[in-house]
Amino acid sequence: MLPLLAVGCSCERSNLAVQSQNLEKTPVSEISAETQEPQQLPLFVTYQLDSLENAAEIDSFKHRFSEREQEFIFGINRVDPYRLKPGDLLVIPDTLTTNFLDYSPFPKRLEMLDSIPKTVLISRRIQAFALYENGRLFKWGPVSSGKRSTPTPAGLFYGNYKARSKISTVNDSWLMPYYFNFMNFEGVGVHQYSMPGYPASHACVRLRRDDAITIYNWASQWKLDATGQLIERNGTPFMVFGDYDFESAVPWLQLADNPNSNYLNAGELETLGNYVAEYKKDPKNFDLPKPGLEELAITPPEGLETIR
């Protein structure tokens, strides 16, 4: 094995020597900014479990972390702060930055979405959503999707209509702020509601308030014809995928043992690829060019009957 190691080292030194010689021959004014500025390494976050056994430990937790840091921690744990009680287990990152995207389970760039202006991804497995613009992630957050008996359907859907406030058809005492429907006949959409830390809805996708407001203002609704009965243009695609394991511990608590456990897996990426292919086949996702007046006025060739 020693000769192999020696060969490997000699190759590296040889490459470095060539690079060094090239730099010596290059005027300083021609050296690029990339050469002069060190590249920033990606942030690698590890996690630990923190068991808050009593009220004193909960109080200590609140004093250890700022309001922004607590907001991030509760988001990672998919739970509202007011639900925290003695005996709860939280997963906490070893590094807390000022950017929630640093803790995203979704890739910051998803090339398969490059040709789609706006995309909403909803993962049932990791109980999280992501918003992409031409394949670039700009926001993610926790969700609470449908419980075992009333799961949120998986599939490619489109934003239909929205309402600043909507009353649930299941229980008229349930108010759903910033509602955005993506399954018209089934009455399924995203909206603000409480976050218990597990799938708990009647098929809708619950969001935190700020996240619900963002989607409400950002996503596009469908465009209907003059009769209001036919869809002329689809709204923003909503891609729902992944399977939540109701028999195991919530997946984000697994981050303590495996920081990669919440990332999208190969099967989920394949599903998204199928959704993208389906999206591209639907003409209602594109503004098709309309024929100009000069095209409509062309005289048909002699001998052909005019089409009426």
Side-chain angles (χ1 to χ4, degrees), residues 120 122 155-159 180-182 190 215 219 236-240:
V120 181
I122 297 173
L156 169 63
F157 310 103
Y158 296 99
F180 210 122
N181 177 277
F182 62 80
V190 299
I215 294 179
T236 298
F238 283 67
M239 301 182 181
V240 185

Side-chain angles (χ1 to χ4, degrees), residues 24-135:
E24 289 177 2
K25 296 177 182 178
T26 306
V28 174
S29 60
E30 296 182 12
I31 299 177
S32 67
E34 291 183 1
T35 305
Q36 296 176 348
E37 298 179 3
Q39 294 185 354
Q40 185 178 2
L41 294 176
L43 178 66
F44 183 76
V45 181
T46 60
Y47 297 82
Q48 64 179 9
L49 291 176
D50 193 353
S51 180
L52 306 177
E53 299 294 344
N54 49 53
E57 292 187 3
I58 291 179
D59 188 61
S60 174
F61 165 83
K62 293 179 179 179
H63 283 85
R64 272 188 294 149
F65 301 105
S66 67
E67 288 188 8
R68 171 60 65 86
E69 291 172 337
Q70 289 183 48
E71 177 186 345
F72 284 11
I73 292 171
F74 287 122
I76 292 169
N77 285 272
R78 282 69 161 170
V79 68
D80 287 325
Y82 77 87
R83 292 179 177 271
L84 189 61
K85 61 184 183 303
D88 280 351
L89 195 63
L90 295 178
V91 62
I92 300 177
D94 65 342
T95 303
L96 284 163
T97 69
T98 58
N99 189 353
F100 194 52
L101 287 180
D102 290 331
Y103 311 97
S104 171
F106 301 92
K108 292 186 177 180
R109 175 74 183 276
L110 200 52
E111 292 184 359
M112 68 174 73
L113 302 178
D114 281 357
S115 60
I116 305 179
K118 297 179 180 181
T119 311
V120 181
L121 300 187
I122 297 173
S123 171
R124 301 185 302 181
R125 178 175 66 87
I126 60 174
Q127 293 292 283
F129 80 90
L131 306 183
Y132 282 86
E133 291 184 339
N134 295 110

